[in-house]
Amino acid sequence: MRLDSVFVSTRAIIHVDMDAFYASVEQRDAPSLKGRPVIVGGHPKRGVVLAASYEVRPYGVRSAIPMARAVKLAPHAVVVPPRFKAYAEASEQVFGIFESFTPLIEPLSLDEAFLDVSGSMGLFGSPGEIARRIRARIAAEVRLPSSAGIAPVKFAAKIASDLAKPNGQTEVREGELLAFLRPLPVSRLWGVGPKTEQTLTSLGLRTVGEVAACDPAWLERRLGTLGPHLWRLGNGIDERQVVPDREAKSMGTEDTFEEDLRDPDLLRARLHSQALRVGRRLRRAGVKARVVQLKVKFSDFEVITRRATLEAPTDDGQALYREASALFERVEPGRAIRLTGVSAQDLHSGGGQLALFGARPRKTEALNAALDRIAARWGTKAVTTADLVEAEPERDPDPESRAAGASQLDPGERKGRL
């Protein structure tokens, strides 16, 4: 079988990934942190690293390792507690830029997404030019670095963005796909973890090209159904489509608090912030929700959910918050809580049946449209509610005090901050 006849793609896919996202937001918002080793994480004794700036990575600090280990590896690093609201706001701005180039956006997390720009080239130029324009706007409007991979298939676009980091982009054109993949180590194949990599190595397969050259039936006998899957990827065959966010069955957001919270007012403020964020996402996607779900994780890691069905679909964050707050009344009081989340479910395009008195919905929609315009230009903090201002005070103006293990990480001094 000729490899060049296996799969012909006409798609142009971009994978955009923000560079050290949480750490970059902290360095952006505190200029004294620029160029310094920064660790975003929780308490040094029980937390994990959420993000590590590129300046601290040479010391072996990476995301998801225990904070206690990270502090030992880089005792000179600046430890910054996470600010999830700031990250969510930056993410909304980034995704707003994506939407100005294509509606085909598949979010993978707050800081990365696949974009299918196959139908956008007539307006914005080649896939490489579109990626450059997206990254330039992110740099200018959000003041954050990003990397991009461009390829005819998702699998290769993701690898290309990884290789482009930090703050770069790599393009793999249609005729270059197999040549790009062949020399890569087998660990780059999706589905290959340490154990599978060891198995492949024992079979004499160390590169993607060596896997691609195998008989797929032979691979299946040794690896089961994973074998043909790896053969297909090795030959650049990845038929998965970019699945837009607007087609999702639900939209939601959740935050893990740096400290467990008991104060009902602080917890409701967090729910309020989350509901407003979900409302903005619904409006941006052009959908409305009929169901609201509240998620609560207690300090002992028990998780509960509560759901309510609305009389009519909505994209109004305040309406979502009212339902979430009512659901919160059904949660056992007094228990320490480490996470809350609000999600909108049973999504519908457009609106549902109007209420008996139509003026109020029209006023609400006009208000939300005005707030969305303000947020798009000035950020979500430009206009906010009193409970959010009181619950989330401004950042400590003295970043020099954020040394590893400093007292600002102690629960008594961090109350009221995410």
Side-chain angles (χ1 to χ4, degrees):
M1 179 182 296
R2 289 181 56 193
L3 296 184
D4 59 0
S5 68
V6 171
F7 180 59
V8 177
S9 171
T10 58
R11 292 183 297 165
I13 295 174
I14 301 174
H15 179 263
V16 181
D17 196 358
M18 305 301 292
D19 297 331
F21 182 50
Y22 292 0
S24 294
V25 171
E26 299 300 337
Q27 290 176 319
R28 178 198 68 180
D29 293 348
S32 65
L33 296 180
K34 290 184 178 179
R36 299 183 62 188
V38 174
I39 299 172
V40 179
H43 196 282
K45 292 184 179 180
R46 75 168 190 169
V48 297
V49 174
L50 298 178
S53 71
Y54 282 93
E55 294 83 359
V56 80
R57 294 186 183 187
Y59 300 93
V61 178
R62 296 287 189 274
S63 297
I65 72 171
M67 279 294 298
R69 181 185 172 197
V71 169
K72 289 181 180 179
L73 290 171
H76 62 297
V78 181
V79 175
V80 182
R83 297 180 301 135
F84 294 107
K85 183 180 178 184
Y87 311 145
E89 180 178 343
S91 176
E92 288 187 15
Q93 291 177 278
V94 169
F95 275 81
I97 293 171
F98 294 163
E99 289 168 352
S100 66
F101 288 89
T102 176
L104 301 178
I105 303 164
E106 181 179 344
L108 301 180
S109 63
L110 279 178
D111 63 335
E112 65 174 318
F114 285 112
L115 289 70
D116 189 332
V117 297
S118 306
S120 303
M121 292 184 282
L123 289 174
F124 302 111
S126 69
E129 177 60 24
I130 294 174
R132 280 189 287 273
R133 294 176 66 171
I134 289 173
R135 293 178 53 244
R137 284 191 55 187
I138 292 173
E141 298 174 24
V142 195
R143 295 184 294 120
L144 292 173
S146 62
S147 297
I150 308 100
V153 295
K154 293 171 77 172
F155 161 61
K158 176 67 170 68
I159 294 176
S161 70
D162 288 343
L163 297 177
K165 287 181 171 292
N167 200 26
Q169 69 181 59
T170 300
E171 182 171 5
V172 182
R173 295 178 175 85
E174 185 76 46
E176 303 169 346
L177 181 57
L178 295 179
F180 170 75
L181 293 174
R182 283 190 185 110
L184 297 174
V186 291
S187 59
R188 286 288 184 179
L189 292 168
W190 282 347
V192 175
K195 291 184 178 179
T196 303
E197 181 180 6
Q198 186 177 4
T199 300
L200 290 170
T201 300
S202 70
L203 295 172
L205 305 175
R206 292 177 172 79
T207 68
V208 173
E210 290 171 340
V211 173
C214 288
D215 179 352
W218 181 84
L219 285 172
E220 185 172 16
R221 287 195 298 270
R222 283 152 181 79
L223 299 172
T225 57
L226 180 62
H229 165 74
L230 298 181
W231 181 87
R232 290 173 65 82
L233 290 180
N235 283 293
I237 305 172
D238 182 7
E239 298 168 342
R240 292 169 306 157
Q241 302 294 312
V242 172
V243 181
D245 188 48
R246 68 180 68 243
E247 295 179 1
K249 295 180 180 179
S250 66
M251 290 186 187
T253 185
E254 60 185 44
D255 298 322
T256 299
F257 310 135
E258 183 189 351
E259 306 154 17
D260 299 336
L261 297 179
R262 297 177 185 270
D263 188 326
D265 292 334
L266 286 178
L267 288 163
R268 286 192 181 89
R270 301 307 194 274
L271 295 177
H272 198 173
S273 175
Q274 291 166 347
L276 293 178
R277 282 148 53 187
V278 174
R280 286 192 293 271
R281 289 186 61 197
L282 290 171
R283 294 191 295 275
R284 198 168 62 215
V287 296
K288 296 187 177 185
R290 191 64 184 263
V291 174
V292 178
Q293 177 171 289
L294 169 70
K295 177 180 177 180
V296 174
K297 179 185 289 186
F298 297 102
S299 58
D300 61 1
F301 292 91
E302 178 189 357
V303 177
I304 64 170
T305 58
R306 300 286 185 268
R307 301 171 81 240
T309 300
L310 305 172
E311 292 184 1
T314 186
D315 59 9
D316 178 31
Q318 297 289 2
L320 298 176
Y321 168 63
R322 286 193 292 271
E323 290 298 329
S325 183
L327 292 171
F328 185 68
E329 294 292 333
R330 295 161 49 189
V331 175
E332 181 181 351
R335 293 183 64 182
I337 293 174
R338 65 182 294 117
L339 172 149
T340 61
V342 174
S343 64
Q345 303 177 358
D346 190 11
L347 306 185
H348 303 270
S349 299
Q353 182 178 348
L354 292 175
L356 179 60
F357 301 100
R360 184 178 299 275
R362 286 197 294 271
K363 290 182 179 179
T364 299
E365 290 174 3
L367 174 61
N368 284 332
L371 292 175
D372 289 344
R373 288 193 296 270
I374 294 172
R377 183 169 183 181
W378 305 108
T380 57
K381 293 182 180 179
V383 178
T384 188
T385 57
D387 61 336
L388 300 185
V389 173
E390 294 171 359
E392 298 185 11
E394 291 298 316
R395 157 199 299 280
D396 180 354
D398 181 18
E400 298 291 335
S401 67
R402 297 198 191 96
S407 62
Q408 75 272 7
L409 293 173
D410 293 338
E413 298 189 26
R414 297 295 305 165
K415 185 175 183 181
R417 289 278 294 276
L418 283 178

